[in-house]
Amino acid sequence: MSIQNVLLTAAFAVVVSSAAAHAEDKGNAAVPRQELEAKIVYCKTCHGLSGQGFRGAFPMPRLAGQQTEYLENQLQAFIERRRTNPVMFNVAHVLSPSMLTALAAHFKDLNPKPLGGAPKELVAAGKKIYDDGVPSAEVPPCATCHGPEAKGADAFPRLAAQLDDYVAKKLLNWSKERGQDPAKPDNSAIMQPIAHNLTEAQVKAVAAYLSYLE
Ligand code: HEC
Ligand code: HEC
């Protein structure tokens, strides 16, 4: 079995079990329109007026076009502190399951242009890593899971047009921020060895490539 097949088998096993757990959530009640609108305005003060991301004291990730299942998973991970971020814990822990679902649907439908700003000279090297992986370091092609155009699917996030500084920061700190509850392993385990095996230069290159994809 090749490394890709092993990883994919592991990936689908974890993703499927998380989807099953999710189905038991009560996220189907209607959210009052005004309450939803107010929340969206609040999210956009940090994540950008069209959800395109924003650079402040630190990079605020793009949410526009993000897969709904992934977005909801992350909000839940912040709430349960499996993913550590003090800002997003405060934002997320007050949201009802129905609100999480409604917010995810809203951001999925936005399609602003990429924010840009990454070093263009890294793009070609980044594309090669994205399409082919780094076989010598046992890094599978990113495209296998995130899709040929980096649009993601279900629990696999969209990476297209994500801020390069955000992507780099996440990949370089993966095991310190994600999957922080050993009693509750989650999908972040799939990315852990991949993030770990990339060098900083490779991370910066692939992040630059992704940031310009529409
Ligand atoms: C005060 C600023 C702020 C506000 C308001 C805010 N966020 Fe965030 N959000 C952040 C930051 C900073 C991060 C990056 C955290 C990290 O580095 O891991 C983030 C990350 C996220 C992520 C993870 C994205 C990914 O690609 O993994 C989601 C999902 C998210 N926010 C959704 C929301 C939603 C929905 C709202 C409104 C209810 C919201 N945020 C409001 C600052 C904010
Ligand atoms: C075996 C499948 C798989 C492969 C291959 C893969 N990823 Fe991922 N990736 C995932 C999954 C699943 C997640 C979501 C993890 C979670 O929910 O915590 C993810 C999350 C991410 C995130 C976090 C996104 C965010 O918004 O915070 C980044 C960045 C990322 N991957 C980059 C890459 C890059 C770059 C490559 C190639 C070098 C790659 N991935 C290869 C499955 C994969």
Side-chain angles (χ1 to χ4, degrees), residues 11-193:
F12 288 126
V14 182
V15 167
V16 166
S17 70
S18 107
H22 188 80
E24 289 157 24
D25 273 21
K26 297 180 191 63
N28 306 320
V31 176
R33 201 187 160 78
Q34 269 190 320
E35 220 177 284
L36 175 61
E37 296 293 332
K39 228 11 133 178
I40 290 169
V41 169
Y42 175 55
C43 307
K44 290 178 176 176
T45 56
C46 287
H47 289 279
L49 284 181
S50 321
Q52 76 276 38
F54 178 75
R55 290 191 169 94
F58 27 70
M60 321 281 177
R62 176 186 173 109
L63 301 180
Q66 188 51 276
Q67 296 294 332
T68 54
E69 187 176 337
Y70 171 78
L71 196 142
E72 284 189 63
N73 281 348
Q74 296 313 300
L75 290 173
Q76 202 57 46
F78 288 126
I79 294 169
E80 294 173 8
R81 299 187 200 261
R82 283 181 278 117
R83 176 169 174 181
T84 52
N85 184 266
V87 176
M88 277 308 299
F89 170 77
N90 285 330
V91 170
H93 85 280
V94 298
L95 304 174
S96 67
S98 310
M99 183 62 93
L100 295 192
T101 306
L103 287 169
H106 171 79
F107 284 106
K108 170 83 170 119
D109 286 343
L110 302 179
N111 190 21
K113 292 271 176 226
L115 204 58
K120 289 222 162 103
E121 66 275 16
L122 300 180
V123 166
K127 177 172 168 46
K128 188 157 172 40
I129 295 169
Y130 190 83
D131 292 341
D132 303 341
V134 186
S136 60
E138 302 206 335
V139 172
C142 318
T144 342
C145 291
H146 293 281
E149 296 177 328
K151 297 269 163 66
D154 307 323
F156 297 95
R158 173 192 169 113
L159 302 174
Q162 188 52 278
L163 276 57
D164 67 309
D165 36 359
Y166 168 79
V167 167
K169 213 166 150 229
K170 294 309 97 185
L171 291 176
L172 295 172
N173 289 293
W174 197 269
S175 56
K176 293 183 212 112
E177 296 178 357
R178 318 275 276 237
Q180 297 303 298
D181 185 353
K184 270 198 166 185
D186 59 22
N187 296 341
S188 68
I190 300 163
M191 268 306 295
Q192 200 280 327

